Amino acid sequence: MQVVTSPLRIGIAGLGTVGAAVISLLDRQSADLAGRIGREIRVTAVSARDKGKERGIDVARLPWFEDAVALAGSREIDLFVELIGGEGGMALEAVEAALRSGKSVVTANKALLAKHGMRLAALAEEKGAALAFEASVAGGIPIVKTLREGLAGNSIERVYGILNGTCNYILSRMELEGLSFEQCLREAQALGYAEADPTFDIGGFDTAHKLAILTTLAFGTAIDAGAIAIEGIERVTLADLEAAAELGYRIKLLGVAARTAAGIEQRVHPTMVPRSSAIAQVMGVTNAVTIDADAVHELTLVGPGAGGAATASAIVADIADIARGVRTAPFGRPVATLATAPYAPMQLHEGGYYIRLSVYDRPGAAAAIATRMAERSISLESIVQRRRKGSGSEATGAVPVVLITYATHEQTIRQALDAVVADGYIAEKPQVIRIERE
Ligand SMILES: NC(=O)c1ccc[n+]([C@@H]2O[C@H](COP(=O)([O-])OP(=O)(O)OC[C@H]3O[C@@H](n4cnc5c(N)ncnc54)[C@H](OP(=O)(O)O)[C@@H]3O)[C@@H](O)[C@H]2O)c1
């Protein structure tokens, strides 16, 4: 490692929740960091939209750039920190400008990486610059470094996690307080956990961006966020949470990437996890990631997935690495060696299923459903008729029936349910929640 003693001059674009927290943390930790690294880290310029905005930090002493791209290309900085956000626009232009000028980049921007990560990593590699993004997945949890470096000696079988605090908060509140999805979403918005337009979080898209990054780090495949099967938590009801509890499960929105016979599978959906599992214990806005790997067996990291200070912690760790002269391939291996093989299609997913049907109280209904399952060799672990309360089926006079299947293929379940719907015994679209094995 080359020993450098001059200060590392950093330029920060974006002074919102995360940018302001990075400046505060660097201020607070500057002496300790310099001691650890053997080199001072100095913020030398900043950029945001509104120079006059009160941010709770003193930036008046720093040179201000109206244009983040100009800051990224400036000779006054050695490292560019992008904290603007968004998959394109100014964030992309500025990151490209910094890398093109040979500067290393630190970013927390999962949307940008999910869309342009391969191209940006190739550019960083070509220029001999670092592209670091610890904060882009699970905030303060050092999951990127764990996968990229800490587990380099392992073959990873599966990585899965609670990657969106808003969704976990809503599901936790629903389960613990017996509140509806809509009530919990309103509460999350009032507390500032959910955006005014929460689609990105509750629809599973934010989790998918993070999963795309984890998949590449874990399996050495090229990022392909478009290949991820995505379902959000909007259709999870109190009836599902109650049934899950009685059956020994909890429902979590998981991002899962797994090595399967059909290839690497990537999926985001509400998931039944065994109540005894480490991931099931994670409640509220907290994030968690579990890794199944051959040498370590199972590893779970739990911690704050968002918030200024926790996210800044990850950003400062990246800055410290770059200050020390560490240059790791952004995704753990050279871009040219990342495999571009297609991901496994969701129809080939194999696992157990929870199915909740609103069944009209008519003779022959239960037998017809059982027949449709048997026709496709779907084995049922249990079939339970439940109370009507909270299932949404009061108005139709239908009765909730919950089926738990043994492992079968997604396409087989879908075909069986199409046949059940066509038989006309059920009042609403079947609820299907995948069960994740421990
Ligand atoms: N918040 C979290 O907990 C968290 C956690 C993990 C990762 N992240 C990621 O961190 C990044 C920043 O998030 P944040 O929550 O800090 O966002 P934020 O509070 O909305 O801050 C965004 C900042 O970018 C600035 N900005 C917007 N457009 C700009 C432009 N064209 N040129 C220069 N600056 C511009 C804004 O300027 P003004 O202040 O002048 O309007 C603001 O300071 C995002 O990629 C996000 O996904 C956030």
Side-chain angles (χ1 to χ4, degrees), residues 14-18 48-50 53 55 83 85 108-110 306-307 311:
L15 299 172
T17 307
V18 181
R49 271 178 308 207
D50 178 358
K53 201 187 227 178
R55 302 175 188 277
L83 299 171
N109 190 338
K110 56 256 169 185
T311 310

Side-chain angles (χ1 to χ4, degrees), residues 170-348:
I170 291 173
L171 292 173
S172 301
R173 290 288 292 169
M174 284 175 75
E175 182 191 327
L176 299 179
E177 307 297 330
L179 301 172
S180 71
F181 172 79
E182 289 74 19
Q183 279 172 300
C184 296
L185 173 58
R186 275 197 299 275
E187 212 178 73
Q189 285 170 320
L191 289 167
Y193 295 149
E195 303 286 332
D197 175 5
T199 323
F200 202 65
D201 288 325
I202 63 172
F205 305 104
D206 174 71
T207 300
H209 282 159
K210 295 165 182 168
L211 182 68
I213 296 167
L214 292 184
T215 306
T216 295
L217 290 163
F219 299 106
T221 49
I223 284 191
D224 186 358
I228 303 178
I230 307 173
E231 281 170 30
I233 60 167
E234 308 90 327
R235 288 196 68 233
V236 176
T237 66
L238 278 174
D240 298 321
L241 290 156
E242 278 175 20
E246 283 172 32
L247 293 161
Y249 294 99
R250 265 207 167 114
I251 301 177
K252 298 290 182 191
L253 183 78
L254 291 191
V256 185
R259 197 186 291 283
T260 72
I264 305 293
E265 193 173 85
Q266 295 186 101
R267 49 197 168 83
V268 173
H269 50 72
T271 312
M272 295 269 185
V273 291
R275 246 180 138 69
S276 57
S277 62
I279 211 117
Q281 316 311 316
V282 178
M283 304 299 273
V285 291
T286 304
N287 280 198
V289 185
T290 296
I291 302 152
D292 291 340
D294 58 351
V296 294
H297 183 48
E298 185 187 287
L299 186 67
T300 298
L301 284 79
V302 180
T311 310
S313 157
I315 289 162
V316 170
D318 280 344
I319 294 173
D321 267 353
I322 292 167
R324 289 184 182 104
V326 173
R327 295 287 178 276
T328 316
F331 292 99
R333 30 189 125 195
V335 176
T337 69
L338 293 171
T340 51
Y343 286 97
M346 200 59 207
Q347 301 91 288
L348 297 184

